[in-house]
Amino acid sequence: MLSRLKPNKGSRKPRKRVGRGVGSGSAKTSGRGQKGAGSRAGRKHKPHREGGQIPLVMRMPKRGFTNIFDEHIQVVNVKALKLFKAGADVDAAALAGVGLIRNVGAPVKLLGTGDLSVALKVRVSAVSDSARKKIEAAGGSVEIQTL
């Protein structure tokens, strides 16, 4: 029964109430030590500071870079186009509809791995020579569209 569910023994721990008298064991300084910024309210703890030692984030080597001009091209092979019926219009929206690509707005390139037996009208951003030959050999056409 859901009404009888209880947390496992030891999994729930009561909040530690500090500064509630000498008998509580956490009186006077309330576990904050003696003096200094750490004992006072409003002290901000920065995890990357290591008290004079060179911080770990500075000791780690910096590698690589991010190319801001890099454009992610989605790749689809000719063998994946057998999901479409003969004479179908295949564009980014149709490819996304059957789950071959994720982003309709990103460019799509068609590569030539595999064979194709149905004639399709394909509109993509880029196409390899082998993919174009296979589609046209099956009776289809390829159109390059710009985004």
Side-chain angles (χ1 to χ4, degrees):
M1 299 293 251
L2 290 175
S3 61
R4 294 186 194 158
L5 284 177
K6 288 187 174 182
N8 292 332
K9 189 87 171 154
S11 67
R12 304 282 292 181
K13 192 174 176 184
R15 183 174 65 94
K16 185 175 186 180
R17 296 185 71 225
V18 295
R20 296 295 181 269
V22 178
S24 70
S26 291
K28 194 181 161 210
T29 55
S30 302
R32 288 174 173 258
Q34 295 295 318
K35 301 174 187 173
S39 68
R40 297 179 170 86
R43 180 241 184 184
K44 304 240 183 333
H45 174 72
K46 294 183 179 175
H48 63 274
R49 298 284 297 144
E50 296 188 22
Q53 177 173 296
I54 299 293
L56 182 67
V57 294
M58 291 179 72
R59 281 181 276 159
M60 292 290 108
K62 276 64 173 171
R63 295 194 53 154
F65 74 104
T66 302
N67 184 356
I68 61 170
F69 301 107
D70 184 32
E71 190 172 23
H72 179 69
I73 297 174
Q74 303 173 104
V75 175
V76 178
N77 280 302
V78 168
K79 65 181 178 183
L81 298 180
K82 63 184 169 189
L83 296 171
F84 296 97
K85 294 179 180 162
D89 285 343
V90 180
D91 58 356
L95 292 169
V98 294
L100 291 175
I101 63 170
R102 290 186 181 191
N103 186 359
V104 177
V108 179
K109 182 168 185 176
L110 192 62
L111 299 181
T113 303
D115 292 317
L116 187 66
S117 58
V118 292
L120 299 172
K121 185 178 179 184
V122 181
R123 281 191 308 277
V124 289
S125 303
V127 63
S128 68
D129 288 337
S130 60
R132 182 185 293 273
K133 287 176 186 172
K134 289 179 182 181
I135 291 169
E136 290 173 353
S141 64
V142 178
E143 183 184 324
I144 303 297
Q145 67 178 13
T146 57
L147 293 177

